[in-house]
Amino acid sequence: MVLGRGVLGVWLALWLGRCGAEDDASKINHKRIENRPKSTFFASTSLCGDSYLLALRPDRIAALSWQSRDDLSRASAAQQKLPQITDRAEDILRFRDHIILFGPGEGFQTGKFADRSIALTWGEDFETVFKNIDLVAPGRADLWKARLSEIKKPATAPKILYLSRAGGTAGPGTFVDAVITAAGGENIIKTKGWFTPDPETLLAQKPDFIMTSFFDSDYASVNDKSYRHKAVRDFIADHPRIDLPGHLWPCAGPGLIEAAEQLSVALRAETL
């Protein structure tokens, strides 16, 4: 069919008008998306992120990690009913309207699917905790620094040996060492880092106190041979023991400050 000039002109005008309308609609929709209110709620992909949100943003949680219902979680019964997510792309896309809080080492591959995200850093000292606090709740780190500085210490620093149920211990450069020092104690272990000494090495130590975690819970390493060693059990029983809840330790997060506070109270009660 051959169109006349008049008909062709009318058809062309209508087609151009339609394209213009579609362009305008596209601009309007894009503008609406840009102007959409941004969510102030967080979705955490790790137990580490959970610990920061539960301490700093308990009223701004859209989802917690896949570990939020485990023994080490500090989530309340109501908070454990919140959706759980991982750092997989499908989970990030479902919650991309919110602020995604990645744990240390997460988000390298899937962070691109989040409109807004925060990546926590790993460290075994209070300075790292304060830096992460400022990432999650800007301006709040000073409150936690003050809380740490207000911890009362015993007059004389008692010697402390840390033991996990699996027989592991910790020296300088670990968050356990940081907690012992902040509480006014002296870590009897001088070897840097985390390690599991043989029973003979443990029995040679002469601590004033043994600090433990996980001894009175079901959450324990499958490698707990040291705990089953009778001489080690007798060694522990022969010393004053301070047991701190295991849920204070994950990720070396805000729970470290509470751990130092609890240890300080226990030490001063025993040394008065």
Side-chain angles (χ1 to χ4, degrees):
M1 179 178 68
V2 179
L3 294 176
R5 288 185 179 179
V7 175
L8 181 62
V10 171
W11 179 83
L12 185 60
L14 289 172
W15 183 80
L16 290 173
R18 181 181 176 184
C19 288
E22 289 178 349
D23 286 345
D24 288 343
S26 176
K27 290 176 181 178
I28 291 171
N29 288 334
H30 183 66
K31 193 170 184 180
R32 282 175 180 167
I33 292 173
E34 286 183 339
N35 293 336
R36 182 178 59 194
K38 292 184 177 180
S39 171
T40 58
F41 281 74
F42 293 78
S44 165
T45 63
S46 70
L47 189 63
C48 183
D50 293 354
S51 70
Y52 280 91
L53 291 185
L54 293 170
L56 301 167
R57 300 288 195 183
D59 58 339
R60 285 287 181 269
I61 303 175
L64 289 171
S65 78
W66 57 278
Q67 294 172 293
S68 63
R69 295 163 196 164
D70 292 351
D71 290 341
L72 287 181
S73 174
R74 303 195 70 181
S76 66
Q79 290 165 333
Q80 288 181 358
K81 295 178 181 178
L82 289 168
Q84 292 181 305
I85 66 169
T86 68
D87 68 337
R88 293 191 301 241
E90 56 267 34
D91 286 340
I92 303 306
L93 288 170
R94 282 195 302 128
F95 287 87
R96 69 182 305 172
D97 286 345
H98 304 297
I99 303 168
I100 305 298
L101 182 60
F102 290 110
E106 294 185 333
F108 292 114
Q109 299 297 325
T110 56
K112 60 187 176 183
F113 299 109
D115 291 339
R116 291 169 297 152
S117 65
I118 296 172
L120 298 172
T121 57
W122 173 256
E124 299 202 33
D125 54 63
F126 289 107
E127 284 307 312
T128 302
V129 175
F130 298 142
K131 289 177 182 177
N132 283 334
I133 287 174
D134 264 339
L135 289 175
V136 177
R140 296 276 296 279
D142 285 345
L143 296 175
W144 290 80
K145 289 179 181 179
R147 185 168 163 178
L148 183 65
S149 68
E150 291 168 359
I151 292 177
K152 296 178 181 179
K153 301 180 180 181
T156 303
K159 294 180 179 180
I160 299 174
L161 168 66
Y162 170 76
L163 280 179
S164 70
R165 181 166 178 154
T169 191
T174 66
F175 56 75
V176 164
D177 183 79
V179 166
I180 290 174
T181 302
E186 177 189 346
N187 191 350
I188 200 171
I189 299 297
K190 305 304 179 185
T191 303
K192 291 184 178 181
W194 298 85
F195 61 100
T196 302
D198 56 64
E200 290 73 18
T201 301
L202 284 179
L203 297 176
Q205 305 300 320
K206 299 184 183 302
D208 296 313
F209 296 94
I210 294 178
M211 184 174 75
T212 60
S213 283
F214 311 114
F215 271 56
D216 301 320
S217 73
D218 293 331
Y219 193 95
S221 168
V222 294
N223 180 28
D224 62 353
K225 293 180 180 178
S226 292
Y227 179 66
R228 295 198 300 265
H229 193 291
K230 183 179 184 307
V232 173
R233 293 201 308 270
D234 291 343
F235 174 74
I236 294 171
D238 288 340
H239 291 81
R241 180 162 72 95
I242 298 172
D243 192 71
L244 295 183
H247 61 228
L248 297 175
W249 300 118
C251 181
L256 286 194
I257 296 168
E258 188 174 341
E261 291 172 335
Q262 290 190 21
L263 180 58
S264 167
V265 170
L267 290 177
R268 288 186 292 111
E270 293 288 347
T271 55
L272 287 177

